[in-house]
Amino acid sequence: MNATIVDPLQGDFPEVIEEYLQHGNMKCIAFNRRGTLLAAGCADGSCVIWDFETRGVAKELRDKDCIAPITSVCWSKYGHYILASATDKSLTLWNVLNGKKITRITLQQTTLHACLHPGSCTPSLCLACPLSSAPILVDLNNGSSTVLPVTVSDTGNGTTAASHPRNKFSDGSPPFTPTAATFNKYGDLIYLGNSKGEILIVDSKNIRVNAVIPIPGGSVVKDIVFSRNGQYLLTNSNDRVIRVYDNLLPKKGAAKELEMMSGTDDKLFEIEKLKEIGTKCLHLSREFQDVVTKIQWKAPCFSGDGEWVIGASASKGEHKLYIWDRAGHLVKILEGPKEALIDLAWHPIRPLVVSVSVAGVVYIWAKDYTENWSAFAPDFKELEENEEYIEREDEFDLMPESEKVKELDINQDEEVDILTVEKDSAFSDSDASQDELCFLPAIPLPDVPEQQDKCLGSSLKLEDSNHTGSPFSVEAAQNGQTILPASSPFEVVGNSTPEEAAGTAGMKRKRKPSAKGMELQEEKGRKPQKKVKSTGKSSKSKNKNGDGIDTNGSVLDDDVTDEYL
Amino acid sequence: MPDMAHPRPYALHTTLEGHGRAVCAVKFSPDGSLLASASADKILRVWSTTDFSLRAELSGHDEGVSDLSFSSDGRYLCSASDDRTVRIWDLAAAAAPVKTLTGHTNYVFCCSYNPHSNMIASGSFDETVRVWEVKSGKCLRVLPAHSEPVTAVDFSRDGSLIVSSSYDGLSRVWDSGNGHCIKTLIDDDSPPVSFAKFSPNGKFILAATLDSTLRLWNFSAGKFLKTYTGHVNSKFSIPATFSITNGNYVVSGSEDNCVYMWDLQTRKIAQKLEGHTDGVVAVSCHPSENMIASGALGNDKTVKIWVQKNEDQLED
C-alpha cells in the first residue's frame, strides 16, 4: 500500500463493511506479518489461507487427523509456518508453502489461544493458554511443556518454577481460571495476566518472574495484547475496562534490561521488589470503558500502527466494534450484522478490520471511499461548498502573445534516479537475509473442458505456421459452438461476471464492485443465466461485428459472443 | 552503423524468423532464459535466449495477439488478443492455454502480470482496464479508465499501483487494491499516449505519445522531468523500456525502422540500431545481459536480437 497516498485527514480506521468472505465455517483468524495473507481456522479442523489482495482462497491446510474445530491460528514471524490449536487438545504446526502438517502435539487440555515464538523464523517454542489452567510453554520438537507461574506467593516459592514433564504444578495448588498470556515483540519475555488482576513479566528462558504490575481493580484478566511495534500493551479485565499501558522496556534486549533491574538485592520482601520493578516496565496510560452500558469486551486489539484500539462487544448476539484513539476518545462504533462476533483482527498496515461472526463468515471493514475527483483531472479543485467566482478585469481579453508563451520551467538536466527503492518504514525490523513468505504462488485452475476444444493446436515442436495456425482452431471453435450452442457462450461469459459465485464447490463470494463498475454492469449487463440477446446497439462500439449477432448456433467467425454490448 | 557516445555499441546478433505477420510484442522472461514474441498471425513464439532455437509455439487465439507478459516465475505467460480474450499459457506443461479470461467487449490491447503474479491487468479498446484473479480467472475489477482505447497497462514494483495510458491523451495511476484513481497525468496539448510503464523503482512513469516524444514523469508531482525525441512515432503504439544492465538508457522502437537508445540523464541519442525493414513496434531488454530484442511490422515480420559488440558475437 502506498503510504504517501493515504489521506491523513480522514481518520485511519474503517467505517463500513466492504466485503465478506465465506468458505466453510471459520472460527478464528490471523493476518501474516505484511497483511497479504489471512489464515482462518475452521470448524472442521482445516485452515484456509486467503490471498488478501484478490480476496480469494490461496490454500487449504487439511489433514485427516485434524478434524476438531480450531480455536486459534498463529503465523510464524516470516510466514512459513502456522500453528493451529483445536478442541481435541491438540496443537498442529503446518508448513504453509507445501500445505503439509509438520508436527502435532496433544496436550492435557484444550488450548484457547496459542502463539508461536515471535523472535525466530523457525520457531520451535510456542505459548499455549489452556481453557482452565496456567499457560504453558510447549517445545514443538519434543512435545515437552513448561508451566508458567501465574502468581507470586508471599513466601517466594512460586517464583522459581522448575520445569516439569507434563502439566504438574510445582506447589500443588488448584488450577486457576484461564490466564491470558502473550510474548513481547521479540519473544524474550512473556507477559501474563492472572485472575488476581496482576500482570506478571516472566523471562521466557529461565521462567523467572521478574516483575509484577497490579492492575487497578484487581479483576480477572481476560486478554492481554501487545501492539505490533511492541510499544503498547492492553489488558481486558472482567471489570469491563480495557487498559492501555506504555511499555517502558526497550524493544530489543528487554529481558536483559529486566535482569539488570532485578539485580542481586536481598531476597526479603520479594513481592514488593517485583512490584517496584514492575513500575519501571509498564505505565498505565488509558482506560476505556463504556460507562453507560457497561458492556464486557471481547477480542480487543491495536491497529497496525498502535494509534487506535478496537474492542468488540461481548454482549449476546451483538456484532459491535468500538474504536478509540490513544488519547482515550471513542471515535467510532461499527455495527455489523445480527450475528455474534467471535474474533477480530486489525490489518498490520492498512485501515482494515476483519471480524468473524458466529455464522462462520468473515467480514472485512474498510474506509468508506469518497471519490477523489481531482485525481481524474489535475486541474479539478474540489470545493467544500459553493464559492462565488469573481473574474479578473482582464480575464477575457485577447492577448495573443502571452498565450503562446509556454513556460518550460522544468530543468531537464537534473539527474533522475530510476533504480533506488526506498525502505518500507512500516517494517523497520525486516531482515533482508530472511526469506519472507508474502505470497502463495497462484496456479491458474484450468478451464472447463468445453473451452479446451477451442484451444487446440498448440505444439512444442518447430512447425510450419500453416499447420498449427488459426484455421485449425477456428474450425474447432466452430465445431464447439455448433455442438453446444447454448452452453458454451455461458461458460465463457460466466467467467467474467464479477458478481457470480465462483465455480469451485462450496465457495461463495460476494463482492461489491466499484460504483463505476456497477454502473457499467447495469447499463450493459444482465444476469448471464438469461438468454443472450442480440448485440450491437451502442454507437461507440468498435465491435467489428456490428449488429445482429445471433447466438443461437449461427456462427460468425469464431467470436465469443457476449451480452455486454 | 552510427556510433554515438556509447562506448560499446550494440550490434545485430541474430534474426529470428517464422512469424507469418507483423510482430506486435517481444518480452524477455524475468530470469532471462526465454524470449517470447507475439504476432498478428495469432501465434506466440517462445525462444531460448542461449541458442535462439524455437522452444514453443502457442496457438489458440482466434485473432492477432497484441501483447504478452510473463509471470514472475517465468512459468506462465499471458497474452492479449483481438479476439477479446486474455489467455494464460503454462510453459512448463505442454504449452497449452490453461485459462481464457473473457469479459472485454473489444480488442484487448495490453496485458501485464503483477509482481506477485496473482493478478493480471488488461487494457482494451472498450476503454476499460480489467483486473483478473489468476487462480480462478474471475474478473476482480473493471476500471472505467479512459474515453479512448487503452494502450498500455503496467504494475508498479510492489504491485500496489497500476498505470494505464490511452489515446485520449491521459495516463492514469490506479490503486490496484481497491481500483480507485489516484492520479492523472496530462500535458497541455494532449497527444494520444501510446505507451506507459513504471520505472524499476516505481517512482517514475515513462510515457510515449504520438507526437514522437517520450516523457519521464514524476507521477506524484504530476510533472515530467525528461523528454526524449529524435525517433518517429505518430501512428503505432510502440513500447519503450529501460536498459539498466550497463548504464541507464531508454530504449524504444520507431516507425523509421530503427531502435533508438537514449542516455537516461543527458537525453542524447546514444545509438540507433538499424536493420529492420519495417517500423519497429516491439522492444525488450534482457534483465541481466546487454541484450535487446526488437520486433517489426508486416514487411519485416522478424525478431532481431542485438548485443553489445564483441568480436566473436557478430553475425555477418
Side-chain angles (χ1 to χ4, degrees), chain A residues 51 369 375-376 412-414 416-418 420 445 447 455 457 460 468 492 496 500 542 558 562, chain B residues 55 57 59 62 84 87 98-100 102 106 116 118 135 138 172 180 184 201 204 226-227 265 267:
Chain A
D51 178 334
Y369 179 70
F376 281 95
Q412 294 217 15
D413 292 322
E414 264 182 61
V416 171
D417 181 4
I418 56 165
T420 322
L445 301 169
D447 285 337
C455 308
L460 273 172
T468 58
V492 166
S496 70
E500 263 217 332
K542 296 190 173 64
D558 46 359
D562 54 50
Chain B
R55 286 286 204 78
E57 266 193 13
S59 45
D62 304 320
R84 299 185 244 156
R87 279 177 212 242
V98 174
K99 252 185 146 40
T100 302
T102 43
N106 211 318
H116 310 135
N118 56 353
K135 191 157 191 205
K138 284 179 81 64
R172 288 203 159 117
H180 299 145
T184 300
N201 62 359
F204 305 99
K226 301 267 182 200
T227 315
Q265 309 295 355
R267 297 166 285 130

Side-chain angles (χ1 to χ4, degrees), chain B residues 124-137:
Chain B
S124 162
F125 266 53
D126 67 5
E127 302 165 8
T128 64
V129 170
R130 276 181 188 246
V131 182
W132 312 84
E133 183 192 12
V134 166
K135 191 157 191 205
S136 59

